[in-house]
Every structure is written in structure tokens, then in C-alpha cells.
Amino acid sequence: MARDLTTAYKAEITGLVTRPFLLFQAVFDSGTIRFWNGLEPLVYDGNTYTGAGNLLSLSQIDETTKVESRGITLKLSGIPSAMIAIALAEDYQDRQITVDIGFFDSSGAIVVSPFRFFSGKADVMEIQDGGETATISLSAENDIIILQRVNERRRTHEDQKL
């Protein structure tokens, strides 16, 4: 768990009754899409998140004591098959994906600012078309994955000029 959580946030996590919610954001060339796991549109920080309810799911996010990249998979179900062409035409790889978690109070107001617990890059998209509706699964790798990439630079004169 993150070590920089506010006192108010820690109080919500450890409370007897919690009302958590998740905010998903993906930045594409055609625009940013935002979903949350509720039903109605949610406005937070000047942005409107579309309620996807149970049609939106998130794989387990693991935390380790090692410095290593752990990925996630976001799944959106019940998409009209006619909209699949939009997903197929979008250049999605290496686009920014974020997942935040926040809490509501008993009246439905956001108690504390949502905390970003995943930030990464889109990797692989899978589409399962079921005729009337389809399911899109988008896997993303944590931003720390860049530490595992091989540096292709050399100490030649031409490379240094680049």
C-alpha cells in the first residue's frame, strides 16, 4: 500500500463502513475516455466519468516488495457490436491508463480525493464479439516497465550526435 496516503484517506480505508469507487481513464489520440464502476455519470475534478456498473471489471492488482512491473487488465462488457470498429481503428498501444480509488460518504459525496493506485501504458487489446454485444479487454503494464527496456544507445560519434 502507498505510504503517502492522507490521514483522512487512511480513516476511510479502516472505517467500519466503506463506500469505495474506482475511476478508470485512458488517453487516446481521438480523446480521453473515462469510466467508473457506478451507474450514473460522475463528475470529479471537472471531468465526467461514464457509469459502467458491473459491465466494467478490473483484474487483481498485486503489490510486491520487489521493484518490478505488474500489469492489470480492464474489461468492458456489453458494448454494441457496431462500436467495435471504433476500437479496432484506435491506436491504443503505449497510451496512458490510470486507475484511481476514492470513497463516498453516506450521502454520496466524495469524502477524500481519489488516490492513484495504478498508472501505466496500454499493451494488448482483445475483442470478443458475441453477435449483439462484445467485450473488450485491455491489458496495461505499469509505468515501471520502462526500467526493463534495453537501452539501444552506443558511445559512437554518430549516436552521440543524435
Side-chain angles (χ1 to χ4, degrees), residues 3-19:
R3 310 303 180 247
D4 58 348
L5 296 177
T6 65
T7 304
Y9 202 92
K10 289 177 185 175
E12 283 300 318
I13 292 172
T14 58
L16 294 176
V17 177
T18 60
R19 295 169 185 86

Side-chain angles (χ1 to χ4, degrees), residues 14 24 60-61 64 83 85 116 141:
T14 58
F24 303 91
Q60 179 175 326
I61 298 176
T64 68
M83 296 183 72
R116 177 144 305 147
E141 290 293 333

